[in-house]
Amino acid sequence: MYLFVDADACPVKDEVYVVATRYGVPVVLVANQRMHVPPGFGAELVLVDGAPEAADDWIVEQVEAGDVVVTADIPLAARCLAAGARVLGTTGHPFTEDSIGGALAGRELSSHLREVGVGRGGPRALSAKDRSRFASRLDELVQRGLRESRE
């Protein structure tokens, strides 16, 4: 099992390192710009070119069933679910086969509203509660994945 992180704008990388270290799961941060990766957490940085979907495409090409992907990108979440991965949003809400259709529709609606000048700005800042929920859910997903890989 690998933990893939859509890393360019990921606000919960520290939480990912903690959970990954607890279970000895390797982390692959995928980004189109260099960033600091602290040593000792089993994390690797993969740099992709600056094309708009380069990080997403790289993750989808590498991810396998049972891996965990951390992203706020709903289309990437859908592609990873189709590959059999577990996907967790950065606020701690998992993307599932049951929820991804509604998430994609909501994204399209929000995009349309922004285009016509009705939409609001970007996502709100993460709260301490969001971070705690994220860490807890990531821990659960990793435990479940490790348990299933042993069966």
Side-chain angles (χ1 to χ4, degrees), residues 57-71:
D57 292 342
W58 191 93
I59 291 170
V60 170
E61 289 169 10
Q62 302 302 314
V63 75
E64 295 181 2
D67 290 337
V68 176
V69 177
V70 174
T71 186

Side-chain angles (χ1 to χ4, degrees), residues 92-144:
H93 295 290
F95 292 102
T96 65
E97 293 295 332
D98 292 336
S99 70
I100 197 67
L104 287 165
R107 178 183 181 274
E108 288 301 314
L109 177 60
S110 293
S111 176
H112 175 71
L113 290 173
R114 280 191 304 276
E115 287 175 9
V116 297
V118 178
R120 57 179 172 80
R124 64 178 173 76
L126 286 185
S127 68
K129 184 177 180 178
D130 293 329
R131 289 181 181 281
S132 176
R133 179 180 45 244
F134 174 83
S136 176
R137 295 271 169 76
L138 182 60
D139 194 279
E140 291 169 11
L141 288 177
V142 169
Q143 281 186 50
R144 186 179 319 137

Side-chain angles (χ1 to χ4, degrees), residues 33-71:
Q33 58 188 342
R34 190 161 290 289
M35 62 182 60
H36 174 71
V37 178
F41 289 102
E44 165 192 3
L45 176 63
V46 172
L47 289 174
V48 296
D49 67 38
E53 302 299 318
D56 297 1
D57 292 342
W58 191 93
I59 291 170
V60 170
E61 289 169 10
Q62 302 302 314
V63 75
E64 295 181 2
D67 290 337
V68 176
V69 177
V70 174
T71 186

